[in-house]
Amino acid sequence: MLIFFYKSKTNMKRKMMRKTNLWSMLLCLLTTTVVAQNSGSTVVHTFHKKTIVTDPSKGENSYKTWGVFPKASAAVRRMTLQLTLGSPDEMPTAHWDYCDVISIRRKGGVHGEDKRIEIARMLTPYGSIFGKGWQWMWEVDVTDFQHLLRDSVEIEYLHTGYEPNTVGWALTMDVAVQFGPSIAPLLGMQPLWNGKFKYGDSTAPFAAAVMPVRYTAPAQTSFSRVRIQHTGHGADKPRNCSEFCSRWRQILHDGKLADKRDMWKECSDNALYPQGGTWIYDRAYWCPGDLQRPDVIDMPAKSGAHQVDLQMEPYTATGNVQAYEHIGSYLFYYGQPTHQHDVLLEDIVAPSNKQAFTRYNPAINNASIIVRNVGSQPLKSLTIVYGTVGVAQKTYQWKGLLPFNQTVMIALPGAVDMLAKDNQFTVMLSQPNGKADAWPADNSLTTTYKAPITLPNVFVLKYKTNNRPADNYIALHNAAGEKQFEKRPTSTVANTEYNDTISLAAGYHRLQLTDTSGNGLQFWAQPQQGDGFLRLYDTTGRLLYVFESDCGAGEALSFYASPQYKPDTVNIQAAFSMFPRRTKDNIQLDIELSTAAKVAVKITVDGILHQLHEYRSMRNGKFTYSLLSLPQGRFVVDVYVNDVRKFTGRVNRD
């Protein structure tokens, strides 16, 4: 068993001063000196718009690059992996939801030891409807590996899958580094369970492959941490395990339950939507288009012998066993947290322009933040100062109970102020438990955010139900949270169009469409639920705004209602309805524009044009296109308005 021990200069000084009464004061002075020399932040660049494709002959394709990380002597507070996938310039975007692994391969130069330590896991989106210029960024904390991410490090992105290598992704990957005192001193680490383990195979039981691990914690250990990436794959009988079956997993430490959870994830509320495949289907602890957050489980542990065990819900498949559990896990030993009273502001969820928080924004009230307690004492109170730059700041006194290394999302009361189209919002934390924060450098953040669009204060809401109107609810609230309008499921019937004229006082409002079944008003793989839409018009019938029908759990629109609204005569608003998206013969495409324009409809597969339909001038139209001359498979329908792509939809010809 290989165990890494982190012998920093700080730990060596601790040992030398262990028997003196002055050791803690001297250590504090030393830490302060080190931090002062390494304050601030930096970004380490690795891949930049690297085109990645699959290797169908092997099912995986390895991409490696070297990054220059901070020196070993630098005091690192946090490291965050930032991963961006985009559409390549030279080929269409990849289609499938594959499981990709980001690993540390070597450090210290080309002759360094091949480590292959998984630090992150990416589940790629269904990208067939993403066109040129599209990209999306995800983030995940990788601080537990910061002792390895030093000096020259070789990083590997392992892209899996079997689709043709004529489609791909543009990969960009950076690591954001915050310097400062460690949250807790790392004393060592070791691998736990790493690999793809059969699940439900009576001839190769999971429990026999994933055995308990005994370990010896070094001196000064305060707690052990299990960091685990875990996804389920394959689909067998009788439960479609592991991709589409819910099952529990538990972690035992020294025979006692440390963690138990259901290995299941809701996907219909994914921030990245719509996608070109079955993105709304819940899965075995992952969703397409998601940089998976690892499970981090802290367990009290003193120096000496211990045991950690991973157990899964018993399951036996019938027939051909396809299920497997893909696990990457490591055990870390940490000393006592560095400070007693220490919080950090993890992120501002709303208001924010971050892609990860699209479903929360633009926000008109109740700004939301994520706070992490990194002090050894449970966090019970906190002072939060917040507000839009240029407006008087607000103060909120939070109270609760937050253990070490846990997070909480806090809603900050009041309206979100808007001064211009582009705004800045600041948050500052202070006085954790009424004490001075030990490291205030990570207590504040500033986000940029766009103000909501402007609409007339009197408009028409047009809602066409699909075949399951009982799933859908529409509600409109003002910035004070007061309900202004609602459309309840009990007041609607299937496949019916409703028109409501709404008159509002000037101010900010939020219109929310909720789908309780998580399949939106239309979903290509479920043509039986029909085709619905939600659109806004002015009182003259001019199109103002269109909700996405393929929205999973729903969609929201924040806007400013203005009696002085002036119509936008420059930008064309466009609405499209294509149904069915799974067919043997024909599809119908409905097009509605706010102004007459040139329109082109292109039907392609992997960038190859199969049909082109052009219209010199159109404002409204209903068109039926035959697919009988096309082979079976997946097609993409693009609609261009005045040479600008306004709509992309997937069609499956069965």
Side-chain angles (χ1 to χ4, degrees), residues 565-581:
Y565 173 82
K566 295 181 180 180
D568 184 351
T569 59
V570 176
N571 299 305
I572 298 177
Q573 293 296 320
F576 305 92
S577 177
M578 187 173 68
F579 188 82
R581 300 195 187 194

Side-chain angles (χ1 to χ4, degrees), residues 129-130 270-276 279-280 359 463 466 472 513-515 519-524 529 531-536 545-557 574-578 581 646-650:
I129 63 172
F130 302 151
N270 196 329
L272 174 53
Y273 77 95
Q275 299 178 34
W279 68 274
I280 67 169
R359 288 189 178 269
Y463 168 46
N466 60 18
N472 301 121
L513 165 68
T514 301
D515 189 289
N519 55 6
L521 296 175
Q522 185 203 79
F523 183 57
W524 72 270
Q529 78 160 346
D531 180 25
F533 62 75
L534 179 61
R535 300 169 185 171
L536 306 182
Y545 187 84
V546 179
F547 277 66
E548 171 61 57
S549 293
D550 185 6
C551 58
E555 187 171 79
L557 168 68
F576 305 92
S577 177
M578 187 173 68
R581 300 195 187 194
K646 291 286 189 177
F647 170 80
T648 299
R650 165 182 169 165

Side-chain angles (χ1 to χ4, degrees), residues 136-139 271 353-360:
W136 194 276
M137 189 186 82
W138 298 264
E139 294 181 313
N353 287 338
K354 270 192 176 183
Q355 290 176 306
F357 304 136
T358 53
R359 288 189 178 269
Y360 298 89

Side-chain angles (χ1 to χ4, degrees), residues 359-611:
R359 288 189 178 269
Y360 298 89
N361 289 284
I364 62 172
N365 56 13
N366 294 334
S368 300
I369 62 174
I370 300 175
V371 172
R372 184 179 295 274
N373 177 29
V374 291
S376 61
Q377 295 299 310
L379 182 65
K380 298 180 180 179
S381 64
L382 185 65
T383 299
I384 307 172
V385 177
Y386 61 98
T388 299
V389 174
V391 179
Q393 302 289 282
K394 304 178 180 73
T395 301
Y396 177 62
Q397 302 293 337
W398 175 85
K399 292 185 178 180
L401 182 63
L402 190 63
F404 168 74
N405 203 42
Q406 298 301 302
T407 62
V408 61
M409 182 180 287
I410 300 174
L412 304 176
V416 174
D417 297 303
M418 318 286 177
L419 294 181
K421 182 178 180 180
D422 295 298
N423 300 271
Q424 290 185 312
F425 190 85
T426 63
V427 177
M428 179 174 290
L429 313 178
S430 64
Q431 294 295 300
N433 296 330
K435 308 292 184 180
D437 191 283
W439 183 251
D442 55 14
N443 286 17
S444 61
L445 285 175
T446 299
T447 60
T448 58
Y449 66 98
K450 291 186 179 297
I453 65 172
T454 299
L455 295 177
N457 69 314
V458 180
F459 60 87
V460 177
L461 183 149
K462 184 179 292 188
Y463 168 46
K464 179 182 176 295
T465 58
N466 60 18
N467 293 333
R468 298 182 57 180
D471 295 344
N472 301 121
Y473 172 64
I474 299 171
L476 175 67
H477 294 82
N478 61 19
E482 299 166 335
K483 187 181 295 181
Q484 307 292 294
F485 169 84
E486 68 176 349
K487 181 72 74 175
R488 291 182 172 274
T490 53
S491 66
T492 61
V493 295
N495 199 28
T496 302
E497 187 175 297
Y498 296 88
N499 292 273
D500 292 280
T501 300
I502 299 173
S503 180
L504 299 172
Y508 288 100
H509 298 77
R510 188 168 175 87
L511 179 63
Q512 177 75 54
L513 165 68
T514 301
D515 189 289
T516 56
S517 291
N519 55 6
L521 296 175
Q522 185 203 79
F523 183 57
W524 72 270
Q526 298 175 358
Q528 69 277 7
Q529 78 160 346
D531 180 25
F533 62 75
L534 179 61
R535 300 169 185 171
L536 306 182
Y537 298 80
D538 67 16
T539 54
T540 70
R542 182 184 177 88
L543 184 65
L544 297 172
Y545 187 84
V546 179
F547 277 66
E548 171 61 57
S549 293
D550 185 6
C551 58
E555 187 171 79
L557 168 68
S558 295
F559 63 94
Y560 182 79
S562 171
Q564 288 79 42
Y565 173 82
K566 295 181 180 180
D568 184 351
T569 59
V570 176
N571 299 305
I572 298 177
Q573 293 296 320
F576 305 92
S577 177
M578 187 173 68
F579 188 82
R581 300 195 187 194
R582 191 167 191 170
T583 182
K584 293 182 179 179
D585 43 31
N586 301 326
I587 59 170
Q588 179 175 302
L589 177 66
D590 296 354
I591 301 175
E592 183 177 354
L593 306 178
S594 58
T595 302
K598 180 179 68 173
V599 173
V601 179
K602 299 179 181 181
I603 302 178
T604 63
V605 56
D606 291 342
I608 300 175
L609 182 65
H610 284 258
Q611 289 186 21

Side-chain angles (χ1 to χ4, degrees), residues 30 49 104 135 141 178 180 246 253 300 368 392 398 499 537 546:
L30 174 64
K49 293 187 177 180
I104 295 171
Q135 66 176 26
D141 188 287
Q178 289 179 288
S246 174
H253 188 246
S368 300
W398 175 85
N499 292 273
Y537 298 80
V546 179

